[in-house]
Amino acid sequence: MNGVQRMPSDAFDTKGVLITDVEEGQPCLQCGDTCSGFSPHTWRKNCTSCKCPREAHDVCHEEWVSVRSRLGLKGEESSCPVAFDPREKGLAWAPPGLPAHKVEEYFSMLPEISVPRLGTPGERYRDRQLAIQLPKQDLARAYCRHLNPKHASSADDFMAARNEIALDIGSVQEVFERDLDCGACHAPLKYGSLAVSASKLGLLYHPACFRCTECKELLVDLAYCVHDDTLFCERHYAEQLKPRCAACDELIFSGEYTKAMNKDWHSGHFCCWQCDESLTGQRYVLRDEHPYCIKCYESVFANGCEECNKIIGIDSKDLSYKDKHWHEACFLCNRCRVSLVDKQFGSKVDKIYCGNCYDAQFASRCDGCGEIFRAGTKKMEYKTRQWHEKCFCCVVCKNPIGTKSFIPREQEIYCAACYEDKFATRCVKCNKIITSGGVTYKNEPWHRDCFTCSNCNNSLAGQRFTSRDDKPYCADCFGELFAKRCTACSKPITGIGGTRFISFEDRHWHNDCFICAGCKTSLVGRGFITDGKDIICPDCAKMKLM
């Protein structure tokens, strides 16, 4: 970088105090309330409270004036001084040298999460990216807690070479040339728009394209490194050249280190994630990308056997069913104690049974034959009853009903034909089933067409009728065949409809026909005198005697 001086690797702030991150007690963004706050491990990069990495916590930083402080740079921010204080505009950081309206234009070209507005997720996101992309142990030897003094010069040489050759801070400028392409996506840069300049490469980038090739994240505060003409954040630049310990997150400058799980470790840092005992030359188990010694793994993660209540160690086969676990030798039928390994079994009230014991004790039975339903057997169900498919048949004809319609009666099942034949209402005259529109006479069913006059065979349905000797007759036929006849008009006196009549000796009259033969007045309720075949009133009788 032209005209820029660098602070020594054990950088101090202007007050002579070592610059540090404020991290202890910060809440975990992954665990939430289950973490009591960041509690640093003595040498790992994770929290001892929740085991999550440091960057997963809401770690903030003491007043970094800018990323230059983290990089240990002295001198002006850029050839153009800061036009305003970003915090006065509600920002934790802004590209130096831009006026306020251009800063807003720049941030409008980035994802919202990458805009470090104070009090927003963007501010905390920037904090985390500072910790991830610019790990302080890479930037100043004072933060390297596990650097062997005999390798200190190697670390100094690495940092000096990186600072001189690879490390730089981009600047934001307007595009004043035409036909320029983005150094990352190679799409054209719009004339007059803002672009990020990487002087180490002599290229311009769309603001949203200025990213680390490895982690794909936007380069925080425009800090970048160049390796093989490619952009990297400082973390991933360093990892192109040096191994990084997966435990303490520091670069390894020793020629001797451990490789395991496709990761690199300081020789003394490849340890059990739980108890910190060395795993070098020891058996270990990988869980959630962390190694555990056998003892810790079994105590923390191994399942207990449902049968013997002992731990199922890593050397034992763990058989599981519905969140329950058994040693292979303990996976037995609860009743007959036969091994269930590689056999069909059933479960009831948290206990397991072989197929035979389960069927004998719990399997449902057919309401037809009384036998159990074997696994895979087709079952026919109706209300609370169930049958084998072959047993679900008509009680009369014994034919399987299958999916055809059926009629239940009491505890029996009938096909439609047999039910009609046995229980359907039949006409007393023709003995055929009455399907609709029947007539009941003397508690017996008739078809409407079968309920006819016993004499003329005319239908009586809906007509007035009467009966004689339990046979129905229409009014006309009944009168002609059985009714008394009126002495006056000779017509039948049927009594149908409540017709009243008068009888005297062996003669009968309709009420309306019981009149005086002389004056024609009604004699109903009056005295009368017979005159041969006639009846006359007393007055007409006196007149006749005179």
Side-chain angles (χ1 to χ4, degrees):
M1 295 175 60
N2 296 329
V4 175
Q5 294 180 328
R6 300 179 185 273
M7 296 169 65
S9 60
D10 51 348
F12 287 80
D13 67 6
T14 56
K15 297 179 182 179
V17 179
L18 193 66
I19 297 173
T20 59
D21 291 338
V22 178
E23 45 187 39
E24 291 193 43
Q26 297 301 315
C28 181
L29 301 177
Q30 294 179 357
C31 300
D33 294 338
T34 60
C35 175
S36 59
F38 184 71
S39 175
H41 189 274
T42 55
W43 50 268
R44 292 188 200 276
K45 63 178 179 179
N46 65 288
C47 170
T48 59
S49 175
C50 65
K51 300 290 188 180
C52 293
R54 173 185 174 278
E55 58 267 19
H57 293 72
D58 196 12
V59 173
C60 62
H61 307 279
E62 288 186 348
E63 294 296 325
W64 295 114
V65 177
S66 71
V67 73
R68 307 178 78 82
S69 298
R70 194 168 185 92
L71 297 178
L73 304 181
K74 295 192 299 182
E76 296 295 333
E77 287 284 347
S78 69
S79 57
C80 299
V82 177
F84 63 94
D85 183 356
R87 290 187 171 270
E88 292 180 358
K89 299 295 184 180
L91 295 167
W93 170 86
L98 292 181
H101 70 281
K102 286 295 182 180
V103 168
E104 287 301 324
E105 180 183 343
Y106 169 77
F107 282 131
S108 71
M109 304 170 77
L110 303 180
E112 185 63 28
I113 189 62
S114 300
V115 181
R117 299 192 190 279
L118 296 176
T120 70
E123 180 187 14
R124 289 310 185 203
Y125 178 77
R126 173 179 176 260
D127 271 348
R128 289 193 297 277
Q129 289 304 310
L130 284 170
I132 294 171
Q133 293 188 29
L134 303 172
K136 58 188 179 181
Q137 65 272 19
D138 284 18
L139 304 175
R141 183 157 49 83
Y143 294 112
C144 297
R145 295 180 296 170
H146 306 289
L147 179 64
N148 191 310
K150 66 181 181 180
H151 300 128
S153 60
S154 296
D156 288 340
D157 292 343
F158 171 82
M159 294 177 188
R162 175 201 59 206
N163 294 349
E164 185 64 30
I165 299 171
L167 182 62
D168 198 0
I169 298 177
S171 61
V172 179
Q173 63 186 53
E174 291 188 66
V175 179
F176 289 124
E177 295 183 42
R178 301 187 186 276
D179 300 326
L180 293 178
D181 294 336
C182 174
C185 71
H186 306 297
L189 294 169
K190 186 178 178 181
Y191 181 82
S193 66
L194 296 179
V196 180
S197 171
S199 60
K200 289 284 186 182
L201 292 172
L203 296 174
L204 294 177
Y205 297 81
H206 292 114
C209 293
F210 198 59
R211 297 174 180 268
C212 171
T213 302
E214 182 72 20
C215 63
K216 311 302 181 186
E217 293 286 348
L218 287 172
L219 291 161
V220 65
D221 290 12
L222 306 181
Y224 70 95
C225 287
V226 174
H227 180 69
D228 290 338
D229 294 329
T230 304
L231 287 178
F232 291 93
C233 65
E234 193 286 327
R235 170 181 290 275
H236 292 113
Y237 163 83
E239 290 175 7
Q240 302 296 310
L241 304 174
K242 293 291 182 181
R244 186 182 297 277
C245 179
C248 70
D249 203 38
E250 292 186 20
L251 296 175
I252 302 173
F253 293 98
S254 170
E256 295 182 2
Y257 60 95
T258 300
K259 293 188 72 71
M261 302 162 41
N262 295 320
K263 296 180 181 179
D264 302 316
W265 316 73
H266 283 114
S267 295
H269 285 179
F270 184 57
C271 300
C272 172
W273 187 251
Q274 185 72 17
C275 68
D276 290 343
E277 288 295 321
S278 175
L279 295 176
T280 303
Q282 304 297 320
R283 295 172 67 203
Y284 65 91
V285 180
L286 188 63
R287 174 77 178 229
D288 298 329
E289 298 186 357
H290 298 302
Y292 292 83
C293 68
I294 303 303
K295 182 179 179 180
C296 287
Y297 180 86
E298 291 183 348
S299 66
V300 177
F301 300 109
N303 299 302
C305 177
E306 289 292 317
E307 179 67 23
C308 67
N309 295 321
K310 295 180 180 179
I311 290 294
I312 304 174
I314 64 168
D315 294 322
S316 300
K317 195 171 184 179
D318 185 338
L319 302 181
S320 64
Y321 174 70
K322 288 187 175 180
D323 297 326
K324 296 183 181 299
H325 301 262
W326 293 264
H327 290 103
E328 184 175 18
C330 296
F331 195 55
L332 308 173
C333 172
N334 188 64
R335 189 175 183 186
C336 70
R337 310 308 292 169
V338 68
S339 174
L340 300 179
V341 177
D342 296 328
K343 294 180 181 178
Q344 286 188 337
F345 64 92
S347 173
K348 193 76 171 181
V349 195
D350 295 331
K351 297 187 182 300
I352 52 175
Y353 300 85
C354 66
N356 291 334
C357 289
Y358 183 89
D359 289 345
Q361 194 163 352
F362 306 110
S364 55
R365 296 181 177 271
C366 174
D367 284 304
C369 67
E371 295 295 324
I372 63 173
F373 291 98
R374 299 287 181 185
T377 302
K378 192 172 182 179
K379 183 188 297 185
M380 310 297 290
E381 295 182 340
Y382 175 71
K383 292 187 176 179
T384 59
R385 306 178 69 199
Q386 50 194 1
W387 298 264
H388 292 106
E389 188 176 19
K390 66 179 181 179
C391 297
F392 189 57
C393 57
C394 174
V395 70
V396 176
C397 66
K398 306 302 181 183
N399 290 326
I401 291 174
T403 58
K404 295 182 292 186
S405 60
F406 64 93
I407 302 170
R409 185 182 177 92
E410 295 177 351
Q411 295 299 310
E412 306 292 353
I413 298 294
Y414 298 84
C415 65
C418 289
Y419 183 86
E420 287 185 353
D421 186 62
K422 187 168 185 177
F423 300 109
T425 302
R426 294 180 178 274
C427 177
V428 298
K429 184 174 182 179
C430 68
N431 201 37
K432 294 180 180 179
I433 294 173
I434 300 174
T435 56
S436 64
V439 175
T440 299
Y441 174 64
K442 291 188 178 294
N443 293 325
E444 293 184 324
W446 305 65
H447 287 111
R448 291 178 65 87
D449 294 339
C450 291
F451 189 57
T452 60
C453 175
S454 298
N455 184 55
C456 67
N457 283 328
N458 288 332
S459 176
L460 297 178
Q463 304 297 321
R464 294 192 305 165
F465 68 93
T466 187
S467 63
R468 177 91 174 201
D469 299 330
D470 292 331
K471 293 181 180 180
Y473 294 89
C474 64
D476 292 340
C477 289
F478 183 84
E480 291 295 331
L481 295 174
F482 307 111
K484 298 176 176 61
R485 291 186 176 271
C486 180
T487 300
C489 67
S490 299
K491 294 180 178 180
I493 303 173
T494 62
I496 295 175
T499 303
R500 300 177 66 183
F501 65 96
I502 298 166
S503 296
F504 177 71
E505 296 179 344
D506 58 348
R507 291 186 291 173
H508 311 278
W509 292 265
H510 293 108
N511 260 22
D512 293 342
C513 295
F514 193 57
I515 59 176
C516 174
C519 65
K520 306 303 182 184
T521 60
S522 174
L523 297 177
V524 176
R526 298 174 58 189
F528 63 89
I529 299 170
T530 60
D531 183 18
K533 64 177 183 178
D534 295 328
I535 55 173
I536 56 178
C537 65
D539 292 339
C540 287
K542 289 179 182 181
M543 291 291 294
K544 196 171 184 179
L545 291 175
M546 295 177 61

